[in-house]
Amino acid sequence: MSKRIDAIDFNVYYSKFLAVEGVNISIEPKSVTAFIGPSGCGKTTFLRTLNRMHEVIPGARVEGKLLLDGDDIYAPGVDPVSVRSTIGMVFQRPNPFPTMSIRENVLAGIRLNGQRISKGDADTIVEKSLRGANLWNEVKDRLEKPGSGLSGGQQQRLCIARTIAVEPDVILMDEPCSALDPISTLAIEDLINEMKDQYTVVIVTHNMQQAARVSDKTAFFNIAGTGKPGKLIEYAETSTIFSTPREKATEDYVSGRFG
Amino acid sequence: MTQVLQENRENIGKSKLIQGRKPRWTWIACLAGSLIVASAIMAVVGFNVAGWAVLTALFYVVSNYAVTRIMENGRKATDQLWTNLVVGAFLVALLPLISVVWTVLSIGLPGLLAPGFLASDMTGITGAVDQASVEDGTAILGGVKHALIGSLVMTLGATAISVPIGLLTSIYLVEYSRGGTFSRAITFFVDVMTGIPSIVAGLFAAGLMLTLVGPGDNVMGFTAVIALSVLMIPVVVRSTEEMLRVVPNELREASYALGVRKWRTILKVVIPTAISGIASGVTLAIARVIGETAPILVTAGVAVSTNWNLAKDWMMSLPVYIYRQMMFPTAPAAPDASEQRAWAAALVLIIIVMLLNLTARFIAKAFAPKKTGR
Ligand SMILES: Nc1ncnc2c1ncn2[C@@H]1O[C@H](COP(=O)(O)OP(=O)(O)OP(=O)(O)O)[C@@H](O)[C@H]1O
Ligand SMILES: [Mg+2]
């Protein structure tokens, strides 16, 4: 399963501060979309609104519509918890649960929700998710060891495994490779390429090459100055963004002439 | 080339980096010198241990400073001086602890080892009995069983009340309140409660129970439990709140992002991550109230027989037992028996508190999030 996302005239606030303004974007199912843009332009902020993680912050709110396969996830009465179980998220910093073993970390989404599953099913899910995250071979002999004992890159892939274990329709990734070495980065990029067959993937990245390598479409966000809201400047096929962008700002940014 | 190597080899051991340093044994020499000088002065003015120790310390600090200043430089000497002062302050701080433990241990041990001290209460131990055993030199009868059981039951009761209330309050403060007036009021009153004198807590509990159940029914043990809870709740709230606040937000967000509800996140992610700190905080709070005397004296009162029932009759506790035995000896003509029992009870109390502290450490270790090296 995989779902499309449409944002319509979407504004994002931190209390009074308008952080992202007027976003209109359509993200296709079974595609990889990259968000690029300078620091502080609201990529993380916007990404977190896509699964209603934004409102966890006190005072944070949004305006406008955000449609998941046509249904507004911000409509009154929508349960943010069910939105989040449909739209998974991988954070910039790996954050495995320190009290849990590797195996428990993978099963966290199921166990924490109080679902009971047989040991056989659990084993299947653990292996499938860890294989999906390209981590199985490295950890299969130490599944009962604490998840925080892994290297940073392994931890990040563990977090990805944890996210795909609950079988979401959409996966959001906020700079998943920013703390990783080139080899782990490659592993995660391969993974993103494979995930495209099943999920809608949205990834924030500061790495142009990475955006070019993994994404089908790219969204460029920019900010006019400090204190001003971030805006979606251009959204198009990745090849277009990197070769013949419509906007001057986009061209400057992707060619490295920015600031 | 080989020449240089040769030279370097020869210079090993007389490194230029450690030139001009005083030898390692300087401090021993300083200490020995100070001891001798102090002893000499003491011999002149008349010996006493305290004066001798203080003089030795004084001479040591001064001589060490002077020697370092002469042999090295002013900066090193200042460093040495402050190191000595800090170590000295630490030793002074340690002194009361060692002294208390030593005194209680040496005086209380015979009483504790007396047969049946832990297994018998004071029923039937009258002044005549005590006087007889002191005069005949036989083993002193009577024990601490009722006080031990009273203390444990009452503290357990207070824990059973305070921990849920304290835990839920701190969960509300950390996880649910968004810094509004209500939560600030709670924090303020918790702080005020921390400062309540314990006798006031006792009087409050007594007054409360008097209005609730009237003077006819005597639910002494339970009244004491309430008094102790009043003292314990703020401590539990404070320490738990501290522990919940240090749980990284990232973990909460990771859990929410998996579609886990807030209360499940708190129950299964936040509390398990903080449990070691919470448990040791609670244990220390228990250790704190188990030694309370005043609030128990004005609520549970005194008793000579074992009472397990919180809802009926007077109840003894260890601190009150110690106080009573010291101030009002069973046999005023032969107070030795009571004193021995009081010291032994004090030893029991100290042992309990130390065990609680050890338990706290053990719990903190056992529950701490597992971290193996990267
Ligand atoms: N919790 C918050 N409260 C208030 N303002 C915030 C908060 N988080 C972010 N902001 C503000 O929102 C704006 C967008 O921040 P955001 O984190 O989305 O940027 P970003 O594009 O992800 O940057 P980076 O590339 O550095 O990660 C910034 O001006 C930032 O200061
Ligand atoms: Mg960001």
Side-chain angles (χ1 to χ4, degrees):
Chain A
M1 270 281 280
S2 153
K3 291 189 168 159
R4 65 175 293 119
I5 300 172
D6 300 272
I8 301 165
D9 292 334
F10 206 67
N11 298 333
V12 191
Y13 292 86
Y14 288 103
S15 303
K16 293 224 166 54
F17 173 57
L18 176 59
V20 180
E21 187 182 24
V23 176
N24 284 290
I25 195 170
S26 293
I27 296 167
E28 297 294 327
K30 297 197 180 180
S31 70
V32 177
T33 304
F35 288 178
I36 59 171
S39 188
C41 68
K43 306 178 295 293
T44 300
T45 305
F46 181 63
L47 190 77
R48 284 168 60 96
T49 60
L50 298 183
N51 68 341
R52 296 195 64 166
M53 282 298 290
H54 180 60
E55 65 206 49
V56 173
I57 297 163
R61 65 198 168 83
V62 302
E63 283 167 358
K65 279 193 184 345
L66 216 160
L67 308 180
L68 181 69
D69 261 5
D71 303 319
D72 188 357
I73 64 169
Y74 282 97
V78 172
D79 182 1
V81 172
S82 66
V83 171
R84 289 178 204 140
S85 52
T86 327
I87 309 181
M89 181 160 204
V90 176
F91 296 82
Q92 182 167 354
R93 290 221 322 225
N95 51 1
F97 297 114
T99 50
M100 300 183 190
S101 67
I102 293 173
R103 182 188 150 87
E104 286 164 343
N105 258 292
V106 177
L107 294 172
I110 295 157
R111 288 273 164 79
L112 290 180
N113 270 322
Q115 294 167 23
R116 305 212 161 274
I117 48 167
S118 70
K119 179 155 187 323
D121 287 352
D123 287 341
T124 318
I125 292 175
V126 169
E127 176 164 354
K128 193 167 138 239
S129 312
L130 285 172
R131 278 193 195 284
N134 268 325
L135 188 62
W136 175 251
N137 287 326
E138 286 157 73
V139 301
K140 62 172 185 271
D141 302 322
R142 46 169 172 160
L143 291 174
E144 303 306 326
K145 294 271 160 57
S148 43
L150 297 174
S151 79
Q154 291 171 330
Q155 286 187 16
Q156 190 62 301
R157 279 178 282 152
L158 179 60
C159 293
I160 294 176
R162 178 173 76 183
T163 307
I164 56 186
V166 294
E167 303 193 325
D169 300 325
V170 181
I171 294 185
L172 311 175
M173 296 184 168
D174 189 1
E175 301 184 42
C177 304
S178 63
L180 305 188
D181 71 305
I183 294 176
S184 305
T185 304
L186 212 61
I188 288 181
E189 285 179 8
D190 287 346
L191 181 62
I192 294 172
N193 264 323
E194 289 165 25
M195 287 198 302
K196 187 158 80 165
D197 303 338
Q198 283 185 59
Y199 309 102
T200 308
V201 180
V202 182
I203 173 174
V204 173
T205 178
H206 277 293
N207 182 331
M208 300 299 151
Q209 287 81 28
Q210 182 169 64
R213 280 194 299 265
V214 300
S215 67
D216 303 309
K217 290 185 120 186
T218 297
F220 172 62
F221 288 79
N222 203 355
I223 185 168
T226 40
K228 300 258 172 56
K231 287 192 173 135
L232 175 61
I233 303 295
E234 187 167 357
Y235 174 53
E237 295 291 328
T238 299
S239 51
T240 315
I241 292 276
F242 283 96
S243 56
T244 51
R246 199 162 29 81
E247 303 285 335
K248 177 85 170 58
T250 316
E251 192 182 344
D252 288 351
Y253 186 77
V254 298
S255 61
R257 257 172 290 158
F258 184 88
Chain B
M1 185 69 199
T2 35
Q3 182 98 40
V4 174
L5 261 183
Q6 193 66 40
E7 241 169 55
N8 278 347
R9 286 249 170 79
E10 278 166 11
N11 276 339
I12 287 175
K14 22 183 173 161
S15 157
K16 284 195 271 318
L17 292 175
I18 54 169
Q19 259 172 21
R21 287 279 182 90
K22 62 181 191 292
R24 285 242 183 102
W25 47 263
T26 322
W27 72 273
I28 301 178
C30 286
L31 188 60
S34 312
L35 273 172
I36 293 165
V37 177
S39 308
I41 293 178
M42 280 292 120
V44 175
V45 300
F47 188 83
N48 76 64
V49 177
W52 182 61
V54 169
L55 277 183
T56 309
L58 202 67
F59 289 136
Y60 175 70
V61 170
V62 173
S63 64
N64 213 348
Y65 178 78
V67 167
T68 315
R69 194 161 182 118
I70 293 162
M71 294 181 68
E72 295 182 350
N73 53 36
R75 190 169 57 82
K76 281 267 156 63
T78 315
D79 178 36
Q80 191 72 55
L81 177 69
W82 281 103
T83 310
N84 285 336
L85 289 182
V86 168
V87 171
F90 170 71
L91 290 179
V92 168
L94 214 58
L95 221 60
L97 178 69
I98 294 174
S99 159
V100 164
V101 170
W102 173 250
T103 318
V104 175
L105 204 61
S106 56
I107 310 182
L109 205 55
L112 182 59
L113 295 180
F117 181 71
L118 289 175
S120 56
D121 52 31
M122 293 296 284
T123 337
I125 310 296
T126 56
V129 176
D130 262 4
Q131 202 147 357
S133 49
V134 170
E135 276 164 12
D136 304 348
T138 53
I140 287 161
L141 297 172
V144 78
K145 180 178 163 212
H146 59 313
L148 191 60
I149 285 169
S151 266
L152 292 181
V153 169
M154 283 189 279
T155 314
L156 209 66
T159 312
I161 293 180
S162 317
V163 170
I165 295 181
L167 196 62
L168 290 176
T169 309
S170 55
I171 287 177
Y172 170 77
L173 286 177
V174 177
E175 305 291 334
Y176 287 95
S177 83
R178 292 196 154 180
T181 326
F182 185 54
S183 70
R184 268 184 284 135
I186 293 181
T187 314
F188 175 73
F189 285 116
V190 166
D191 283 349
V192 172
M193 267 173 87
T194 321
I196 289 184
S198 54
I199 183 92
V200 175
L203 292 175
F204 160 77
L208 181 75
M209 289 316 274
L210 205 63
T211 40
L212 284 187
V213 298
D217 300 301
N218 47 2
V219 286
M220 315 308 174
F222 189 69
T223 315
V225 165
I226 291 188
L228 292 185
S229 302
V230 169
L231 294 171
M232 201 169 160
I233 288 171
V235 183
V236 175
V237 172
R238 268 316 196 178
S239 62
T240 313
E241 191 190 343
E242 229 46 64
M243 288 302 134
L244 293 180
R245 281 203 201 283
V246 298
V247 173
N249 242 339
E250 293 167 10
L251 296 183
R252 296 187 180 91
E253 295 202 335
S255 175
Y256 296 151
L258 290 170
V260 180
R261 291 201 180 278
K262 186 162 186 171
W263 67 270
R264 279 191 174 280
T265 302
I266 294 170
L267 210 62
K268 303 229 166 153
V269 175
V270 179
I271 293 185
T273 310
I275 191 73
S276 72
I278 294 175
S280 58
V282 166
T283 321
L284 292 180
I286 296 175
R288 166 87 184 65
V289 297
I290 205 168
E292 280 297 346
T293 319
I296 299 184
L297 188 61
V298 299
T299 49
V302 293
V304 292
S305 56
T306 310
N307 176 12
W308 286 89
N309 193 348
L310 282 173
K312 201 167 163 296
D313 292 338
W314 306 100
M315 230 175 185
M316 200 49 150
S317 63
L318 281 171
V320 175
Y321 179 86
I322 298 168
Y323 167 74
R324 291 292 298 189
Q325 291 289 321
M326 272 303 191
M327 304 307 288
F328 309 96
T330 322
D336 288 1
S338 281
E339 269 173 28
Q340 180 183 325
R341 282 193 294 261
W343 281 105
L347 182 57
V348 172
L349 192 54
I350 288 189
I351 291 175
I352 292 178
V353 172
M354 287 204 168
L355 283 180
L356 282 172
N357 275 288
L358 285 179
T359 318
R361 282 172 164 266
F362 175 76
I363 290 174
K365 266 247 169 61
F367 282 114
K370 293 150 199 74
K371 283 204 186 78
T372 50
R374 286 270 157 91

